[in-house]
Amino acid sequence: MELRHLRYFQAVADEKHFGRAAARLHMAQPPLSQQIRQLEGELGVDLLHRTTRRVDLTPAGEAYLVRVHAILQAVDAAGAEAQRIGQGLEGRLAIGCVGSATYSLLPALARALRAQLPGVDFAFRGEMLTSDQVVALRDGSIDLALLRPSGDAAGHADLTEQVLRQEKYVVALPDGHRLATRSRIRVADLRDEGLIVHSGHGKSAMYDAVVGLCREAGFEPVIRHEVAETSTLVTFVAAGLGVAIVPEPVSELVVAGAVHRPLATRARIDLVVATRADDRSALLARTLCVLRKQIVA
Amino acid sequence: MELRHLRYFQAVADEKHFGRAAARLHMAQPPLSQQIRQLEGELGVDLLHRTTRRVDLTPAGEAYLVRVHAILQAVDAAGAEAQRIGQGLEGRLAIGCVGSATYSLLPALARALRAQLPGVDFAFRGEMLTSDQVVALRDGSIDLALLRPSGDAAGHADLTEQVLRQEKYVVALPDGHRLATRSRIRVADLRDEGLIVHSGHGKSAMYDAVVGLCREAGFEPVIRHEVAETSTLVTFVAAGLGVAIVPEPVSELVVAGAVHRPLATRARIDLVVATRADDRSALLARTLCVLRKQIVA
DNA sequence: TAAAAATACTCCATAGGTATTTTAT
DNA sequence: ATAAAATACCTATGGAGTATTTTTA
């Protein structure tokens, strides 16, 4: 049995007339009769009751017609859906994001994506460590990662990475801190401050970046607290537990009791977008397009 | 596009290998590749991502596969359903019944039909007048009628009628009635009794039958009450409002205060089954078969 | 008898087969 | 180098066309 048989049956059932149905199908009447008989033969049921004056449906034909309608519609719908998915207008895409972009870039991106690609089911996972995102990309639990540069770029041959933008640093200080009155702070000014950093050497790229800045300024940082989440980090600063060096967009996360001051340094921290190199999905391409527009704006 | 394409796609998606899929489909690999390409071309989407080592599904292919599974299953289910309906094992059938068989034959028939044809959705309408059943048969609101012989059998050329059985008459009497002590009652004994009959000359066959019996016995019946339903009729008798001549199976409707005594007459009243002459449905045939077995038992 | 479906036959489009090439690992 | 899909080409089944017959209201 083929869809042809179902289409022909539907036409005959609609027209209740082999001749008219054949005309509608742009074919001659005899082959139409044959195909319908073939269908009935295959099913082992008479679907139509023929008289020379009119054709009508048997009870079995009535029931079959309903099913056939649904099937033919489902065939069309399946094709249409596949097309939309192929064009990246529909589907699922999971996006990972480091903590320091979770409260600035990610919400704006989510809004833009929902507006631009309303048919797509996006899943956002913020506060992810760079190293976890690499794993998640590889195992498919995310499809796009917003992360910081990791030391071993060589180990990411299967990933495509691109620098989205280079972010300045700011210092997060408790409200009444002695440095809070300065308009700009040098790294060296933090020599005697207790620092709050993201936890785990080799896991958080920010940890390594902050330690690197201090060493470049000629001192070994005093690490007072290690925290997993950026929101916790700023909260700790507000609570007076120490100061922190964070990328500038973190200052968009406003917490009472914490203030941000520019860090006087030429150093910048890259925000990188990474994807699986073999991921050729149209949805990913469209998502990257929206992401880049977002960065420019 | 044809079901063939869907079947082939499903096989390739299952096997993730054109060669093995072709073997499973009992065909060579090249035509399979062609058909899949043809499908992709028609949809305008790549469903498969080919490497020489393995075949895997694109996101569009994944979604399409799910739909294809459902479609192919629906095609099978539609055929199976049509077959069952064609064999009379599934479907809908409405049965009408005159009042005087509603409380005896009909419940037993319903039980037998449910047991024999569990897949069928039977609808029973009891207490229908013969004339209403003829109309209902013609307009399709019932498919099988249990009725009494009507005067104008000539007017039913489009119906097939068959006498199911010939029922004796009984007299329904109030409990303490003077005739209640008799074992048998002649029609002439009812000369001075007020009768309760089914309402409407020309509508209820029983009305005509009862009046006919009386005239044959040489008197014009005194009609005390006309009622629409058999249950009402017996209730009226029990209440002492009169006596009634009813077919013997009505005595199965036991109402406190009413008794039934055989009527001494050779006259019988036919119980007739009628169907549309052009109704060739297998379900009707099966139903009639169960009905006839029921009558014998 | 007239309208419509079924039959008889013919033809050709295309599904499917065989042989070979291309491709990616 | 090799396994597998794609390409090229061929064959033949069967879908569709034309002419005609059969059917039944």
Side-chain angles (χ1 to χ4, degrees):
Chain A
M1 191 196 311
E2 291 295 344
L3 284 178
R4 178 179 61 248
H5 295 106
L6 305 189
R7 295 192 186 102
Y8 291 180
F9 170 65
Q10 193 181 35
V12 175
D14 263 29
E15 296 287 348
K16 299 201 180 302
H17 190 287
F18 278 80
R20 284 196 300 275
R24 202 169 92 179
L25 294 165
H26 307 294
M27 67 188 291
Q29 167 263 316
L32 177 58
S33 288
Q34 280 182 344
Q35 292 294 310
I36 298 290
R37 286 215 166 276
Q38 196 172 312
L39 174 62
E40 291 177 318
E42 207 163 321
L43 292 177
V45 192
D46 280 2
L47 299 172
L48 300 169
H49 186 252
R50 289 105 161 143
T51 64
T52 49
R53 296 295 156 182
R54 80 163 173 283
V55 170
D56 42 27
L57 292 161
T58 61
E62 292 278 8
Y64 200 63
L65 180 61
V66 173
R67 304 295 195 108
V68 163
H69 268 298
I71 288 166
L72 293 177
Q73 238 170 281
V75 168
D76 289 346
E81 187 198 46
Q83 276 168 29
R84 287 193 304 274
I85 293 173
Q87 289 165 19
L89 299 174
E90 218 169 84
R92 264 192 75 80
L93 191 121
I95 297 175
C97 185
V98 289
S100 53
T102 297
Y103 305 99
S104 51
L105 177 61
L106 201 59
L109 179 62
R111 212 174 304 119
L113 286 173
R114 186 158 302 275
Q116 301 282 316
L117 298 168
V120 178
D121 180 13
F122 287 105
F124 300 96
R125 291 179 55 189
E127 290 284 9
M128 282 187 83
L129 295 172
T130 292
S131 56
D132 289 348
Q133 288 195 67
V134 169
V135 172
L137 266 180
R138 287 187 173 133
D139 73 18
S141 57
I142 64 173
D143 304 290
L144 186 156
L146 294 165
L147 36 70
R148 300 296 176 186
S150 70
D152 57 336
H156 299 172
D158 57 337
L159 302 183
T160 300
E161 301 191 351
Q162 194 196 357
V163 174
L164 269 181
R165 64 181 176 198
Q166 302 194 303
E167 299 175 347
K168 294 176 185 171
Y169 287 102
V170 296
V171 180
L173 303 160
D175 231 345
H177 195 276
R178 62 175 176 96
L179 295 171
T181 54
R182 304 255 197 105
S183 63
R184 302 174 75 240
I185 298 169
R186 281 167 303 168
V187 179
D189 297 332
L190 303 176
R191 175 186 300 267
D192 301 321
E193 298 291 334
L195 288 186
I196 302 168
V197 295
H198 280 94
S199 57
H201 165 71
K203 286 176 69 184
S204 168
M206 279 309 300
Y207 180 100
D208 298 342
V210 168
V211 171
L213 279 173
C214 293
R215 288 188 183 146
E216 207 173 287
F219 68 95
E220 191 64 23
V222 180
I223 302 204
R224 185 76 52 82
H225 294 285
E226 293 190 4
V227 300
E229 304 201 331
T230 299
S231 58
T232 311
L233 186 145
V234 180
T235 306
F236 273 35
V237 169
L241 301 178
V243 304
I245 299 177
V246 294
E248 197 239 328
V250 171
S251 57
E252 291 194 30
L253 174 60
V254 177
V255 173
V259 297
H260 298 91
R261 294 289 174 266
L263 188 69
T265 172
R266 283 222 178 73
R268 297 289 184 271
I269 177 104
D270 292 345
L271 181 63
V272 174
V273 59
T275 57
R276 285 182 295 278
D278 65 355
D279 190 342
R280 299 260 157 283
S281 99
L283 174 52
L284 178 62
R286 280 187 193 270
T287 303
L288 284 170
C289 189
V290 173
L291 173 60
R292 294 201 186 95
K293 255 186 275 174
Q294 189 65 29
I295 294 300
V296 174
Chain B
M1 190 196 311
E2 291 295 345
L3 284 179
R4 179 179 59 250
H5 294 106
L6 305 189
R7 295 192 187 102
Y8 291 180
F9 170 64
Q10 193 181 37
V12 174
D14 263 28
E15 297 286 346
K16 299 202 181 299
H17 190 287
F18 278 76
R20 282 197 299 274
R24 201 168 93 179
L25 294 164
H26 307 294
M27 67 188 293
Q29 167 263 316
L32 177 57
S33 288
Q34 280 183 344
Q35 292 294 310
I36 298 290
R37 286 215 165 278
Q38 196 172 313
L39 175 62
E40 291 178 319
E42 209 163 320
L43 293 177
V45 193
D46 280 1
L47 299 172
L48 300 169
H49 186 254
R50 290 108 161 140
T51 63
T52 50
R53 295 295 155 184
R54 79 162 173 284
V55 171
D56 41 29
L57 292 161
T58 61
E62 293 278 7
Y64 200 62
L65 180 62
V66 173
R67 304 295 196 110
V68 163
H69 267 299
I71 289 166
L72 293 177
Q73 237 170 283
V75 169
D76 289 346
E81 188 197 46
Q83 276 168 28
R84 287 193 303 274
I85 293 172
Q87 289 164 18
L89 299 174
E90 218 170 84
R92 263 192 75 82
L93 192 122
I95 297 176
C97 186
V98 290
S100 52
T102 297
Y103 304 99
S104 50
L105 178 60
L106 201 58
L109 179 61
R111 213 174 304 120
L113 287 173
R114 186 157 304 276
Q116 303 282 316
L117 299 168
V120 179
D121 180 12
F122 286 104
F124 299 95
R125 293 179 54 190
E127 290 284 10
M128 284 187 81
L129 295 172
T130 292
S131 55
D132 290 347
Q133 288 196 68
V134 169
V135 172
L137 265 181
R138 287 186 173 133
D139 73 18
S141 57
I142 65 174
D143 305 289
L144 187 156
L146 294 165
L147 37 69
R148 300 296 176 186
S150 70
D152 57 337
H156 300 172
D158 57 338
L159 303 183
T160 300
E161 303 191 349
Q162 193 195 357
V163 175
L164 268 181
R165 64 181 178 201
Q166 303 195 303
E167 298 175 347
K168 295 176 186 171
Y169 288 102
V170 295
V171 180
L173 302 161
D175 230 347
H177 194 276
R178 62 174 178 95
L179 295 171
T181 53
R182 302 255 198 106
S183 60
R184 303 173 75 241
I185 298 168
R186 282 167 303 167
V187 181
D189 296 332
L190 303 175
R191 175 186 301 267
D192 302 319
E193 297 292 330
L195 288 186
I196 302 168
V197 295
H198 280 94
S199 58
H201 167 70
K203 286 176 69 184
S204 167
M206 278 309 299
Y207 179 100
D208 297 342
V210 168
V211 171
L213 278 172
C214 293
R215 289 188 183 146
E216 206 173 285
F219 67 96
E220 191 64 24
V222 180
I223 298 192
R224 184 80 50 83
H225 294 285
E226 293 191 5
V227 299
E229 304 201 329
T230 299
S231 58
T232 311
L233 186 144
V234 179
T235 305
F236 273 36
V237 170
L241 301 178
V243 303
I245 298 176
V246 293
E248 198 241 327
V250 171
S251 57
E252 289 193 33
L253 174 61
V254 176
V255 174
V259 296
H260 299 90
R261 293 288 174 268
L263 188 69
T265 173
R266 282 222 179 73
R268 297 289 181 271
I269 177 102
D270 292 343
L271 180 63
V272 174
V273 59
T275 57
R276 286 181 296 277
D278 65 355
D279 190 340
R280 298 262 158 278
S281 98
L283 173 51
L284 179 61
R286 279 186 195 270
T287 303
L288 283 169
C289 189
V290 173
L291 173 60
R292 292 200 187 98
K293 256 186 274 175
Q294 189 65 29
I295 294 301
V296 172

